[in-house]
Amino acid sequence: MKKILLAFLFLGMATASMAQATIPSVDLQDLEGSIVNTTEWNNDGKPMIINFWATWCKPCVTELSAIHDEYIDWVDETGVKLIAVSIDDTRNSMRVAPFVNGRGWEYEIYLDPNSDFKRAMNVGNPPHTFLVDGDGQIVWQHSGYAPGDEGDLYDNVIRLVNGEDLSH
């Protein structure tokens, strides 16, 4: 029982400390083969969603497909941008572009085949989603996916756009 309580305490502390964190500097490759440093990501002062996913991760694909159904409306209403970071390994990363194109996802897609960015962001298993404010501060995160989680994510985007504090 003590171990469970300590685990929850540690998880809570990790989440609270991440709430004030910024995006770490890691070089990733986009689908055109260009190397982009994550500190260069911006959305002109509007929120960004960073989602860690993989082609082999069924909940990841379900989540990104559910968001895709609403994404154009989200962009029109809030200006949010979604950046999807594939953690497929080097062998499977060649499958990412056809996979994304086949689904018509209009997200910015980056490849993290060595999981450098995943480790820098303390991501365990995908899907893992971060919400970043217009100043580049990580203000919210969520791990896993259940139907309806995209609604919670969008509610937090709306709260952020309206200037509400997302820290707990």
Side-chain angles (χ1 to χ4, degrees):
M1 186 67 174
K2 270 186 172 177
K3 288 181 180 180
I4 292 172
L5 289 173
L6 287 173
F8 279 114
L9 178 63
F10 176 74
L11 181 62
M13 289 172 36
T15 301
S17 65
M18 181 60 81
Q20 299 302 318
T22 58
I23 300 169
S25 174
V26 176
D27 288 335
L28 298 178
Q29 184 177 351
D30 66 17
L31 293 183
E32 287 75 40
S34 299
I35 302 299
V36 177
N37 189 282
T38 54
T39 59
E40 297 173 23
W41 291 347
N42 75 68
N43 192 23
D44 297 325
K46 298 173 187 161
M48 293 187 295
I49 298 167
I50 300 173
N51 179 279
F52 285 84
W53 71 287
T55 55
W56 46 262
C57 171
K58 195 168 190 158
C60 302
V61 174
T62 302
E63 179 178 45
L64 287 173
S65 295
I67 292 172
H68 174 73
D69 291 344
E70 308 294 330
Y71 187 60
I72 297 300
D73 292 336
W74 290 16
V75 172
D76 288 345
E77 294 169 11
T78 66
V80 70
K81 173 168 65 176
L82 192 146
I83 296 172
V85 179
S86 166
I87 60 167
D88 285 274
D89 61 18
T90 303
R91 186 182 54 183
N92 289 327
S93 64
M94 294 175 57
R95 297 180 44 211
V96 173
F99 191 90
V100 167
N101 292 335
R103 283 161 178 76
W105 291 347
E106 299 175 21
Y107 313 128
E108 285 187 26
I109 307 288
Y110 292 91
L111 306 174
D112 186 22
N114 297 322
S115 295
D116 295 335
F117 191 48
K118 177 185 168 201
R119 278 192 298 280
M121 294 286 283
N122 294 319
V123 171
N125 294 316
H128 197 116
T129 304
F130 294 88
L131 182 57
V132 180
D133 69 13
D135 296 324
Q137 300 291 313
I138 299 168
V139 295
W140 181 86
Q141 64 177 302
H142 179 77
S143 183
Y145 176 74
D149 282 352
E150 67 276 9
D152 294 338
L153 173 61
Y154 186 64
D155 288 345
N156 283 314
V157 170
I158 292 290
R159 290 179 55 207
L160 184 61
V161 168
N162 290 333
E164 295 180 37
D165 184 13
L166 298 184
S167 63
H168 301 278

